Amino acid sequence: MISPGTHAPSTTQPRPGWPEIAVAAAAFVACLGLTIIAAGLVPDERPVQLGLVAVALSILLGLGPFAAAYFLRIRDLAVFGVRRVPRRWLGIGVAAGLACFMANIVVGVLYRTVTGDETNAQEGLQTATGSSIPVLLLMLLLGAVATPVAEELLWRGVLANALARYGLWISVIASSALFALAHGVNNVLPGAFVIGAVCALLLHRSGSIWPAVIVHLVNNFLAMSIVGLVELTA
């Protein structure tokens, strides 16, 4: 996946554009509808199953729109940032992921202090994560490995790449804002924006989605594993 001696893509290479954004947006809406229907089929008294379904569907919300954009016209994974980078970007991704995790704790406290909103939009996921060791491991596989890959392919590989033609900061801010809004207007939104911005910057600096995937993976793994272990030992 990653090897030394490779560089960011040339600016002469094609990149995703508005056609990819449009078809990805349409696919996202369609997948969101399926997600709502599927989640509604799980009884509320089965929180573990509901959490597993929710995290599995989050993967669909990334991969479905990405696949629609990929098959539209370009059909080259490298154009979407699926390319090798020097190994040092692994370390940068890990460090940035740790920083994002710590920053999200601070941002979460500030959000609750300013808004007074004490609700937890991810309570269902946390309930499932802390139900048992096997479920925790499955949730980590889905939420801390598969979900980061799926979401980075869409939000950075398609959207941030497509918006890069308008400049670095438009790409970073716009893609991060939309990524955050996709998580809902709730306590998750500020932290999602922070992660989105860091991941978009790493994409533009490295030319690859893999450092961003590492950031996303580290943040999700720490958040889910800590919550799960606390619940299991409570």
Side-chain angles (χ1 to χ4, degrees):
M1 178 176 70
I2 299 174
S3 67
T6 54
H7 302 278
S10 167
T11 55
T12 61
Q13 287 185 313
R15 72 169 75 233
W18 283 107
E20 282 73 25
I21 292 177
V23 74
F28 184 87
V29 171
C31 290
L32 182 60
L34 292 174
T35 297
I36 294 172
I37 293 171
L41 296 175
V42 182
D44 291 339
E45 60 271 17
R46 294 186 176 182
V48 174
Q49 291 88 335
L50 189 60
L52 287 168
V53 168
V55 74
L57 290 172
S58 72
I59 300 169
L60 173 65
L61 284 172
L63 288 183
F66 169 74
Y70 172 81
F71 286 109
L72 180 64
R73 57 175 184 162
I74 299 175
R75 301 182 185 180
D76 182 354
L77 287 174
V79 172
F80 294 92
V82 185
R83 58 176 67 245
R84 295 181 177 182
V85 289
R87 288 192 179 93
R88 65 187 177 88
W89 285 105
L90 282 174
I92 293 173
V94 171
L98 290 170
C100 282
F101 176 72
M102 298 302 296
N104 283 344
I105 295 175
V106 175
V107 169
V109 171
L110 290 175
Y111 173 85
R112 290 190 295 273
T113 301
V114 172
T115 66
D117 183 4
E118 295 292 337
T119 60
N120 183 1
Q122 295 187 325
E123 184 176 359
L125 292 177
Q126 293 175 0
T127 299
T129 301
S131 61
S132 68
I133 292 295
V135 174
L136 171 60
L137 294 176
L138 181 56
M139 290 289 287
L140 287 173
L141 177 62
L142 295 175
V145 179
T147 295
V149 173
E151 291 190 337
E152 292 307 315
L153 283 170
L154 172 60
W155 296 103
R156 259 57 71 180
V158 176
L159 186 59
N161 260 329
L163 294 177
R165 57 179 32 85
Y166 303 110
L168 171 64
W169 291 111
I170 289 179
S171 172
V172 170
I173 294 173
S175 65
S176 302
L178 290 171
F179 174 67
L181 287 170
H183 287 76
V185 181
N186 50 46
N187 66 305
V188 180
L189 187 149
F193 182 86
V194 171
I195 292 176
V198 171
C199 288
L201 283 170
L202 286 177
L203 167 71
H204 290 298
R205 297 306 184 195
S206 69
S208 170
I209 67 165
W210 295 121
V213 169
I214 296 296
V215 170
H216 210 146
L217 186 156
V218 169
N219 178 82
N220 286 16
F221 179 85
L222 288 174
M224 296 176 72
S225 59
I226 289 173
V227 168
L229 292 174
V230 167
E231 290 290 329
L232 285 168
T233 55

